[in-house]
Amino acid sequence: MWRRRVRARFALIALAALGFWALADLTLKAGPSLGGIGQAGGFLRRAWPLDFPPLGEILTQVGRTMAVVLLATLVSVLLGGALAVAATVGRRFTAGASRVALTAARALPDVVLAVIFIRFFGLGALPAVLAMGLHSAGMVGRLYAAAVEQADRGPQEALRAVGAGRIQTFCTAVLPQVAPSFLSIALYRLDINLRISAILGYVGSTGIGTELAMAFGRLDYQRGMAWAVVLFVLCALTEISSGAIRRHGIPARLCKVVAVGGVLAVGWAIVASGVLEVDLAGNWLETLTLFWPPTTAGAELGTALLTTVQVALAATALGALVAVPLGSVAASNVAPNRFVYFVSRAVVLIVRSIPELVLAVLFLLIAGPGPVAATLALAVGASGLLGKLVADSTEQLPPSPALALRSVGASRLQTFFGATFRQGVPDLVSNLLYQLDSNLRAATLLGIVGGGGIGLYLLQAMRTREYAVVTMILLLLFAVVLSLELLATRLVRRIR
């Protein structure tokens, strides 16, 4: 046990050192310049008062956005679930191929997939559904596979002892155990896809993201920020609703009603999203040949990729500085009183509900285009997600060590650092690795809207139709994501 704790502390120190090295190398200053603050103030003055569109238009775009997000999440759950089962239940070759497919899906940026599908199917909802769905399948499948691997092996071994097959054992002994986790992961992915839909609006998606991109594109900040507020409220409501379901589950008496409602919701989403309105564009075989063989075309992709990795590391470190204390007091077993608990939870919810695109726009005005703006935007978003993960994992820690210290007169602060924090270090390292993985892909996306790094070259290659360069960038991202995946898996196993 003590060796695992030492490994966890060493991993935590190493991640912190890498994060602050990235901060120093990106020359991230302690605070924004006065000129940047003045520019942000001028932007806010130009954006006020907010120019909300008519209620009917808001409801229409909200409906389209939620329909696309719902269908994309359904695709990710079905595909990710199938790959997760194959990765954990299948034979060696099938399991290995499934894990490679999950890693490849996570490495492919949503925006690139959307551009590719737009060339196949034209503008509309279908490219957005397929792009978000295929990318999300990688993360959903990874989390599903982790849930299956953590299931109690006793019932599985009992069924196999009497001759049950792999699939029969999974359906009978594993699926009932992991069903709540599967539902929680699906709802969590729904929240993420809703925020991603804003960025896909920049490449021709439908819904609020498109309206947001069009408004900012014509410098109509009053309408653009109005749509940003609408998206924020929608994200907050979705987070509150899905969070309530994750915490309390679905009552058994309502399962049939929920199942029927889910089927009706999918039918409505198909109609409301316009996903069936497909405009087959161009020759598919000719389009595919444009992506091969990969080339750099003289671009310094290695340096740009290093910048993107540094942005992810720096944002994770900055986010952790806020998330650890915030998430700790947002845990019911650490918060000094109910008021602090509810306020902390509210702050975490508000920060998590702000789309990264909106944060990027604000920080681009403060810090100017480049990796600094992307780092600050991702750091704010990371503080919300990490804060929630820290709070949830802290509440699940065994209470006996903390109670033992309190019984001998230790203060709250002494109890926290002597028992609670020490117990939570392995979970914290795991959460930091997960956040780093998420920030790496998000840094690529924010690079497309001005955050620098590999995303800038990706945007240029897509605009100039240098698809062979796009392929090279995807291969580089796949190598980095795969390396991070292998490192995280090995590290988590050694500290658990």
Side-chain angles (χ1 to χ4, degrees):
M1 178 63 71
W2 68 271
R3 289 184 178 179
R4 294 180 179 179
R5 289 182 178 177
V6 170
R7 291 169 185 164
R9 293 172 188 171
F10 176 77
L12 184 60
I13 294 172
L15 288 173
L18 286 173
F20 288 110
W21 162 78
L23 282 173
D25 201 57
L26 290 172
T27 65
L28 186 62
K29 298 180 180 179
S33 66
L34 295 178
I37 295 176
Q39 292 179 19
F43 166 77
L44 294 176
R45 286 192 296 271
R46 291 194 300 271
W48 188 265
L50 301 180
D51 179 24
F52 287 96
L55 180 60
E57 184 178 352
I58 292 177
L59 294 178
T60 298
Q61 298 302 334
V62 167
R64 289 177 179 173
T65 301
M66 290 304 301
V68 169
V69 170
L70 177 62
L71 291 177
T73 305
L74 178 63
V75 170
S76 68
V77 167
L78 294 177
L79 181 58
L83 289 174
V85 173
T88 54
V89 179
R91 300 187 183 279
R92 186 172 183 177
F93 175 80
T94 303
S98 300
R99 290 191 179 275
V100 171
L102 290 173
T103 302
R106 293 201 309 279
L108 294 174
D110 315 71
V111 175
V112 176
L113 289 173
V115 170
I116 294 174
F117 288 127
I118 285 173
R119 287 192 60 87
F120 288 156
F121 303 109
L123 297 173
L126 183 59
V129 170
L130 293 177
M132 280 194 291
L134 292 180
H135 173 77
S136 301
M139 184 57 70
V140 169
R142 177 192 176 191
L143 296 176
Y144 279 5
V148 171
E149 291 172 346
Q150 294 173 6
D152 185 5
R153 296 186 177 276
Q156 303 175 53
E157 295 173 355
L159 284 176
R160 288 175 182 172
V162 296
R166 293 174 179 266
I167 301 299
Q168 186 180 7
T169 301
F170 175 82
C171 294
T172 306
V174 179
L175 189 57
Q177 297 184 59
V178 300
S181 296
F182 277 22
L183 176 62
S184 177
I185 293 167
L187 292 171
Y188 172 68
R189 194 64 215 184
L190 180 71
D191 298 339
I192 296 178
N193 285 343
L194 181 56
R195 289 190 288 275
I196 290 176
S197 66
I199 298 179
L200 292 188
Y202 276 77
V203 294
S205 179
T206 185
I208 297 177
T210 299
E211 298 297 326
L212 196 63
M214 292 173 59
F216 282 125
R218 60 177 184 266
L219 304 181
D220 187 356
Y221 298 126
Q222 292 177 321
R223 178 58 60 90
M225 289 306 295
W227 279 117
V229 170
V230 172
L231 183 61
F232 167 76
V233 172
L234 187 59
C235 289
L237 293 176
T238 304
E239 167 68 15
I240 293 172
S241 302
S242 62
I245 296 175
R246 289 196 299 266
R247 286 191 300 271
H248 305 293
I250 300 175
R253 64 180 184 279
L254 297 179
C255 286
K256 292 183 179 180
V257 176
V258 172
V260 173
V263 172
L264 294 177
V266 171
W268 164 80
I270 293 175
V271 175
S273 65
V275 73
L276 299 179
E277 300 172 5
V278 179
D279 180 20
L280 298 180
N283 186 307
W284 287 22
L285 182 59
E286 180 183 351
T287 298
L288 290 174
T289 58
L290 297 176
F291 289 86
W292 198 265
T295 180
T296 63
E300 297 180 357
L301 299 183
T303 302
L305 182 62
L306 176 61
T307 300
T308 298
V309 173
Q310 288 178 319
V311 168
L313 285 168
T316 303
L318 279 178
L321 287 178
V322 178
V324 172
L326 178 62
S328 298
V329 296
S332 57
N333 56 336
V334 175
N337 53 62
R338 302 297 291 175
F339 175 77
V340 173
Y341 169 77
F342 284 118
V343 169
S344 303
R345 282 284 181 175
V347 171
V348 169
L349 171 63
I350 291 173
V351 174
R352 267 184 47 77
S353 299
I354 303 176
E356 287 83 357
L357 177 62
V358 177
L359 291 171
V361 170
L362 294 176
F363 284 115
L364 283 171
L365 291 169
I366 296 175
V372 171
T375 299
L376 294 173
L378 289 178
V380 174
S383 65
L385 175 56
L386 269 177
K388 181 181 183 303
L389 295 175
V390 169
D392 292 344
S393 61
T394 301
E395 289 181 341
Q396 296 173 2
L397 294 175
S400 51
L403 292 175
L405 284 180
R406 293 301 298 271
S407 66
V408 295
S411 65
R412 286 184 176 272
L413 195 61
Q414 291 173 327
T415 301
F416 174 77
F417 285 105
T420 307
F421 184 76
R422 292 179 62 184
Q423 287 179 278
V425 167
D427 287 331
L428 178 59
V429 171
S430 178
N431 292 333
L432 285 173
L433 291 171
Y434 172 75
Q435 185 64 61
L436 178 62
D437 187 61
S438 300
N439 281 346
L440 180 61
R441 287 185 297 275
T444 303
L445 296 180
L446 292 188
I448 292 176
V449 296
I454 199 74
L456 178 61
Y457 287 95
L458 189 58
L459 175 63
Q460 293 175 351
M462 290 189 296
R463 283 180 172 175
T464 58
R465 299 187 179 184
E466 295 179 286
Y467 296 113
V469 178
V470 173
T471 302
M472 177 60 74
I473 292 174
L474 294 182
L475 291 175
L476 291 174
L477 288 173
F478 174 76
V480 173
V481 171
L482 180 60
S483 300
L484 180 60
E485 169 76 9
L486 294 175
L487 175 63
T489 301
R490 182 179 180 86
L491 185 58
V492 170
R493 286 178 178 175
R494 291 179 68 87
I495 64 178
R496 289 293 182 182

